[in-house]
Amino acid sequence: MWEKLFKELSFFPEGASTLAWEIDAIYLFAVAITVVFTLLIFALMAFLVIKFRRTDENFVPKPIHGSAPLEITWSVIPFVITMVLFGWGAYVFFKYSTPPAGSMDVHVVGKQWMWKIQHPEGKREINELHVPIGQPVRLIMTSEDVLHSFYIPAFRIKRDTVPGRYSVAWFEANKTGEFHLFCAEYCGTEHSRMIGKVVVLSQPEYDEWLRTEENGAQDTPVMAGQRLFSQMRCESCHSEGGVGKAPSLAGLYGTQVVLADGSRAVADESYLRESILDPKHRVVDGFSPVMPTFQGQLSEEQVLELIAYIKTLDAK
Ligand code: CUA
């Protein structure tokens, strides 16, 4: 009911994701509070200036020694309002930051000055993102050079892409059509041209779009990652039984690993990336730091493909 009412009242640009109206609602609430208090303060100011204007040259006002009820009122009301904003904001923030299970992983690499995107089925596109309606999409994003920011106003998502690390954002489109895609971080002379479009399709249209091959058959990230895994001779140390010179990678993704200094790390995308490019930084307990770095030998896309493959390795 709130969702429907809100959409009818909204003066925001078109929203096309499941979270759009929730973000608009909290934003509107903050604006409404600001408007109410601004009007209240200015109205009171005008009223008091007139009511207590000086009417007699020799008038001496009665001194005031504070008022407990008044002080409590003007402390408690703002406290309640800010706590509502905080609680509601935190609720939406956690929803916004937690991709639902079963999300489709899409890889995004920003560079001066384009967005390179790859779908789990292998299809690549530049400055365009095709997605099916009603399917949560998790974006695993990084940058090849400088800071960029992946921004889809209609989905109300904006997330910086940072060289050397992954940032994650997710959305679920609930309206078909074409929407703007922007870079929202000044990234050089062509920043203003680093724009594209998001195309939301129905599931059958999306399947059809996936089938149309523009530049020949393409491997999925997992297949490309598997090929890289053997090309780079990863398996000569990371053997399946885990008794080689290096820990087994089977079932590793998402688990906690114990490091040589006794601390722990979660084996997420960022940890895997770091272990490939800077393997001596966080070494797993019980192993020597003998792995060479692959910095400079793999592109950002290839690192993402390797990680996609490692994620599929199940514990035996
Ligand atoms: Cu990329 Cu601005």
Side-chain angles (χ1 to χ4, degrees):
M1 171 210 156
W2 286 110
E3 184 175 352
K4 189 162 179 293
L5 178 75
F6 184 77
K7 276 178 182 159
E8 273 158 24
L9 290 175
S10 183
F11 16 85
F12 289 94
E14 182 176 24
S17 77
T18 50
L19 279 185
W21 78 273
E22 295 207 46
I23 289 169
D24 294 353
I26 197 164
Y27 188 80
L28 193 69
F29 179 70
V31 171
I33 289 172
T34 314
V35 169
V36 166
F37 276 92
T38 306
L39 293 178
L40 184 73
I41 288 165
F42 278 86
L44 272 175
M45 264 165 62
F47 171 74
L48 295 174
V49 161
I50 294 165
K51 182 166 164 60
F52 295 104
R53 68 187 183 277
R54 195 175 195 188
T55 48
D56 178 358
E57 283 281 309
N58 303 315
F59 176 69
V60 179
K62 238 194 307 177
I64 297 171
H65 297 287
S67 159
L70 197 58
E71 296 214 15
I72 291 170
T73 311
W74 74 42
S75 302
V76 168
I77 292 175
F79 177 74
V80 170
I81 292 173
T82 46
M83 283 330 254
V84 167
L85 259 181
F86 169 72
W88 186 7
Y91 168 76
V92 174
F93 177 79
F94 281 114
K95 246 174 140 172
Y96 186 86
S97 321
T98 319
S103 297
M104 168 177 126
D105 281 354
V106 170
H107 296 164
V108 177
V109 178
K111 66 171 280 193
Q112 289 170 323
W113 285 276
M114 64 176 79
W115 295 111
K116 298 187 286 183
I117 289 165
Q118 190 176 23
H119 289 254
E121 295 81 5
K123 187 133 172 167
R124 292 175 191 278
E125 43 187 343
I126 286 179
N127 291 340
E128 282 191 16
L129 170 60
H130 288 72
V131 290
I133 191 170
Q135 159 73 47
V137 174
R138 183 166 76 134
L139 304 166
I140 302 171
M141 306 191 287
T142 188
S143 165
E144 256 177 46
D145 36 41
V146 298
L147 282 182
H148 303 275
S149 185
F150 193 83
Y151 179 32
I152 307 173
F155 297 168
R156 309 290 190 268
I157 65 164
K158 183 196 273 175
R159 190 61 51 102
D160 280 9
T161 66
V162 185
R165 68 164 79 157
Y166 291 130
S167 37
V168 171
W170 79 275
F171 63 83
E172 180 183 331
N174 61 4
K175 197 183 277 184
T176 55
E178 284 189 12
F179 306 97
H180 288 297
L181 163 63
F182 294 118
C183 175
E185 180 77 56
Y186 181 68
C187 54
T189 51
E190 305 269 303
H191 157 73
S192 62
R193 296 212 207 143
M194 194 169 162
I195 53 180
K197 64 177 180 185
V198 180
V199 185
V200 181
L201 302 167
S202 68
Q203 191 68 49
E205 283 172 333
Y206 178 73
D207 295 339
E208 183 58 39
W209 176 81
L210 275 181
R211 270 197 299 275
T212 57
E213 297 295 352
E214 278 151 21
N215 26 7
Q218 294 180 21
D219 286 344
T220 67
V222 174
M223 283 154 64
Q226 183 169 21
R227 204 171 47 237
L228 277 170
F229 197 79
S230 61
Q231 267 170 18
M232 295 289 161
R233 311 208 42 75
C234 306
E235 75 246 314
S236 60
C237 293
H238 292 282
S239 61
E240 267 187 29
V243 287
K245 282 175 264 177
S248 163
L249 302 178
L252 172 67
Y253 177 67
T255 60
Q256 271 206 346
V257 291
V258 181
L259 305 176
D261 64 1
S263 64
R264 284 162 187 276
V266 176
D268 57 8
E269 281 90 356
S270 295
Y271 172 81
L272 295 176
R273 176 183 200 284
E274 184 195 271
S275 299
I276 295 168
L277 300 179
D278 185 11
K280 290 179 175 54
H281 188 222
R282 288 193 283 180
V283 179
V284 173
D285 192 31
F287 292 92
S288 329
V290 292
M291 176 169 157
T293 172
F294 287 84
Q295 188 89 52
Q297 300 181 47
L298 297 166
S299 69
E300 288 295 345
E301 280 94 342
Q302 288 176 318
V303 176
L304 279 165
E305 287 164 350
L306 264 179
I307 292 172
Y309 171 64
I310 292 169
K311 280 156 73 174
T312 64
L313 298 173
D314 288 328
K316 293 270 155 53

